[in-house]
Amino acid sequence: MKNIFTENLPTKLMALVMAFALWLYAINRHTGDLSATVSLTVSVPEGIAIVEQSTEEVTIHVQGPQNVIDTVDGMIKDHKIWAQYVIRESPDGIEDQLKQSIFIRREHLDLPPAVKLVSVYPDKIDVVLGKLQKKKLKVVLQKKGEPAVGYSVVNEFIFPGEVEVTGPLSALKEVSSINTVPVDISGISGEQNRTFPWRIEIDKRVAIRRGDKTVSLPVECKEDVRVWLQIVEQQDTRVLGKIKIKIISPAEYPYLIKLQDEFVEVKVKGPKLLLDKLNTDDVILYIDVTSLKPPGPYKQPIKSILPKNVEIADKLPEAHLDIRETQRSAEAR
């Protein structure tokens, strides 16, 4: 048995080496192709910002052994391979902004040595570089969502009202304000008045006009602001019709009262949520005839009793009434 493994050992080793070499040859001979889109990162020195960039992605076409190509495909999908270009321009060489064209080559892609880069599209990228400066900008509060039904934001206060921003000179000279990040006010009510101030971050971009379109450019701001909002119940008006006028008189009032109009239309104002639930039984209208005696006619002010926080929006009309003696009161005299 031992002789089986030891006989002709050099020949057997040579055969093993040749078989391994043949396997490698077969693997490498099987060449794969891959076209994929990768992100493009352009880095700039301190004191410079990228104002415009023609594209942030490039499409690469590569070839190589199929097993390596499969590995590269997986790395691209996992965002482990991308294009990166470093600009060496000095801020001293830029007065305001400077346009440059850069070309993406193999050295800008972290590809395995066994992979051949066939093409890059586009291989020429246009960038506009801007010199950075600092500027004080007014803070504008950005809100999203709507308060709870029946509530509204009637006032807002931001401190500080201005923040220092660092950004491209060409952009900052065109703007005077910067937004906060959007603040979600969905569903807030008067209860939130006790939770202020809120600490809010500043947006990291400013919007400027470039011809007929709006361009968003990156800026830096190391500050945040505190925000106070005044949230109140929405006020509204509502018309209530056909409310009967009550007559207030002493007991044993000896006269007969006749109203020209027994019902009146009333316009009230108050919190919208309260008015939505209001009905005619909640409003009392009356006139006091205690001091009135015949003969009439009379004009008397209509008085009202209303729920809390509800008021008469328009002046109530006067009541036209006539007072007559009853037969019993005439006989008593």
Side-chain angles (χ1 to χ4, degrees), residues 172-291:
L172 292 187
K173 68 183 180 182
E174 297 184 33
V175 297
S176 59
S177 64
I178 188 169
N179 295 331
T180 65
V181 298
V183 178
D184 191 356
I185 62 170
S186 300
I188 63 175
S189 65
E191 295 295 318
Q192 271 71 34
N193 286 328
R194 298 196 299 267
T195 69
F196 296 116
W198 290 349
R199 189 173 291 276
I200 308 299
E201 295 181 359
I202 301 297
D203 196 2
K204 296 297 188 281
R205 305 188 75 85
V206 293
I208 61 173
R209 296 291 297 178
R210 286 284 187 263
D212 59 349
K213 64 179 182 179
T214 300
V215 179
S216 181
L217 298 178
V219 295
E220 290 185 5
C221 181
K222 298 180 180 179
E223 301 181 62
D224 54 23
V225 295
R226 284 168 287 177
V227 172
W228 290 260
L229 300 177
Q230 184 183 1
I231 304 160
V232 300
E233 289 187 85
Q234 290 178 340
Q235 300 296 300
D236 201 358
T237 59
R238 183 180 170 192
V239 175
L240 300 174
K242 294 186 177 181
I243 298 179
K244 187 172 183 178
I245 302 173
K246 298 181 183 295
I247 297 175
I248 305 300
S249 62
E252 303 297 329
Y253 189 71
Y255 307 116
L256 181 65
I257 307 295
K258 184 176 181 181
L259 287 170
Q260 181 176 325
D261 295 305
E262 293 185 357
F263 296 88
V264 69
E265 189 177 82
V266 178
K267 186 176 183 180
V268 294
K269 62 181 180 181
K272 185 177 184 305
L273 290 176
L274 184 57
L275 295 188
D276 289 344
K277 300 175 182 178
L278 198 66
N279 57 56
T280 55
D281 294 334
D282 299 320
V283 177
I284 298 175
L285 302 180
Y286 68 94
I287 57 174
D288 188 350
V289 298
T290 301
S291 61

Side-chain angles (χ1 to χ4, degrees), residues 10 60 103 122 213:
I60 62 173
F103 296 86
K213 64 179 182 179

